[in-house]
Amino acid sequence: MTERTETPPAAEARPAEAPAVDARAVESAAGAMPRVQVRPVGEVRAWPRSFADRLTTPLPGVRAFARLAREGAFRPDPEGLRGIPDLPYAPAPLPPATPGTVSVTWAGHASWVLRLGGLTVLTDPVWSRRILGTPARMTPVGVRWEDLPPVDAVVISHNHYDHLDAPTLRRLPRDTALFVPAGLGRWCRRRGFTRVTELDWWESAELDGVRFGFVPAHHWSKRSLIDTCRTLWGGWVLTDVRGSGRQVYFAGDTGYGHWFGEIGRRYPEIDLALLPIGAYAPRWWLRDVHTDPEEAVRACLDLGARRMAPMHWATFVLSAEPVMEPLRRVRAAWARAALPRDRLWDLPIGASRAF
């Protein structure tokens, strides 16, 4: 939730009325889900000037900032930082991409290498050593850039600097397919990307047999002093619609709330949920926008997901909890919920798992 500065793009006009190109109901064993609009890849659209009406809770005011400054609880204390050498880091070669198999590799923070339906997809790719206003990475990136297979697509959850990293995106070919929240397309096109798809909540688009569905999150957006909530925020559900039917949910950055249950209803039988468990302390400051480990387990249950892989910890120092605490707490919460241990994919950075 740290604020950074960058010159924002000019505001865009409100959208004209345009019907969805296709609206299909995805069927499940329990019956038809609510309709999810399918938009064409690369469609250029206009958006409202602000998405502040999508906020789940009001953003902090002057009193909250004053309290945070008074308490000085921005980073872990020295005892909490002593766990840095214990942070899990075990880079290994990417697993082979085989038909019908889904594999995920944690590169660190919210960056994953997903291989699904024959595509290689990066989530919120941050390969930089540091991001603006934040100490350097505690752990190296788990996958060397030169070891990546050709990247077919990238999904971005929102525009905060630890999720939208311009230096990393500059490494990609400009014809890489980018799937981004509503309002963020202009930022991408200004940097030369030619295949940019902006989506609103509950919209999707398909690329080579994989459906990219954009879903709500309890968060916000800001990249400069004057662009609060000018672009949308959310998570992504990736579905292999032509092959295995497997579904992976990438939550991006989010607090806990009602959206998880709704996502589970609209996307039943999620095979794997990539959920954030870090950057949650002090709780009074970050509760509304970052799940803690116990809330992440609750979110997995709300989603009805078969497996959970924790993320958004062990990479950047963004908040005050001890650096190893998220892992201990998520394991304890998983055990208390009496969930099968092998369904918690608490991977080291650089490790992979497939199903």
Side-chain angles (χ1 to χ4, degrees):
M1 191 168 159
T2 307
E3 297 182 13
R4 322 287 203 285
T5 59
E6 175 178 298
T7 302
E12 299 189 23
R14 289 187 174 273
E17 292 294 329
V21 172
D22 181 21
R24 287 174 280 182
V26 181
E27 301 296 328
S28 71
M33 289 167 34
R35 291 183 179 274
V36 176
Q37 293 183 336
V38 181
R39 311 290 306 203
V41 170
E43 179 184 19
V44 178
R45 306 168 68 179
W47 299 101
R49 181 178 176 84
S50 173
F51 292 94
D53 61 325
R54 307 290 185 91
L55 291 169
T56 308
T57 57
L59 294 176
V62 174
R63 289 185 179 180
F65 279 100
R67 177 182 173 184
L68 185 67
R70 184 171 63 251
E71 294 180 358
F74 299 101
R75 300 287 183 262
D77 59 24
E79 181 64 29
L81 291 171
R82 287 179 187 170
I84 289 178
D86 300 322
L87 292 171
Y89 179 74
L94 295 174
T98 57
T101 298
V102 178
S103 70
V104 297
T105 304
W106 190 28
H109 200 52
S111 302
W112 293 85
V113 184
L114 306 183
R115 306 184 84 179
L116 170 75
L119 300 187
T120 296
V121 182
L122 302 184
T123 70
D124 287 0
V126 180
W127 260 250
S128 298
R129 182 171 177 269
R130 64 169 64 243
I131 54 176
L132 187 63
T134 300
R137 303 174 78 105
M138 296 183 288
T139 48
V141 182
V143 182
R144 297 190 311 165
W145 189 263
E146 53 268 31
D147 292 338
L148 287 172
V151 176
D152 298 294
V154 172
V155 297
I156 301 294
S157 63
H158 65 299
N159 70 357
H160 287 163
Y161 278 70
D162 58 322
H163 294 260
L164 177 62
D165 184 52
T168 299
L169 292 184
R170 280 199 294 268
R171 298 185 179 196
L172 293 165
R174 295 306 184 267
D175 62 351
T176 304
L178 303 186
F179 294 87
V180 303
L184 197 54
R186 181 173 179 178
W187 186 95
C188 300
R189 295 186 187 98
R190 286 172 59 188
R191 285 153 180 82
F193 288 96
T194 58
R195 300 175 69 200
V196 182
T197 303
E198 299 173 88
L199 296 178
D200 201 343
W201 290 348
W202 308 125
E203 292 183 339
S204 66
E206 290 184 17
L207 176 69
D208 297 336
V210 175
R211 181 173 297 173
F212 295 75
F214 191 51
V215 297
H218 299 273
H219 206 61
W220 64 305
S221 69
K222 186 181 182 71
R223 204 168 171 88
S224 78
L225 296 176
I226 58 172
D227 68 344
T228 302
C229 297
R230 292 282 183 88
T231 64
L232 196 51
W233 53 90
W236 294 89
V237 178
L238 277 62
T239 307
D240 179 4
V241 293
R242 292 185 188 170
S244 65
R246 299 288 195 181
Q247 294 190 121
V248 177
Y249 167 61
F250 168 65
D253 211 351
T254 181
Y256 179 77
H258 70 285
W259 285 129
F260 292 111
E262 182 63 19
I263 293 166
R265 284 187 288 273
R266 298 199 188 205
Y267 289 91
E269 301 180 359
I270 292 172
D271 293 283
L272 174 64
L274 310 175
L275 287 163
I277 65 168
Y280 53 79
R283 206 72 200 111
W284 67 265
W285 173 250
L286 292 169
R287 178 183 295 110
D288 294 331
V289 293
H290 288 164
T291 52
D292 64 22
E294 293 78 14
E295 289 170 335
V297 173
R298 288 174 61 193
C300 184
L301 293 171
D302 292 350
L303 291 161
R306 293 188 176 95
R307 306 166 185 86
M308 170 181 161
M311 64 172 183
H312 206 267
W313 77 285
T315 308
F316 296 108
V317 179
L318 300 175
S319 53
E321 72 272 4
V323 296
M324 281 295 294
E325 182 181 277
L327 182 60
R328 292 194 297 267
R329 286 177 56 174
V330 77
R331 287 173 172 173
W334 194 263
R336 285 195 300 272
L339 296 168
R341 181 62 182 85
D342 62 352
R343 300 294 180 93
L344 178 63
W345 289 9
D346 46 349
L347 301 178
I349 292 173
S352 304
R353 193 72 64 86
F355 59 89

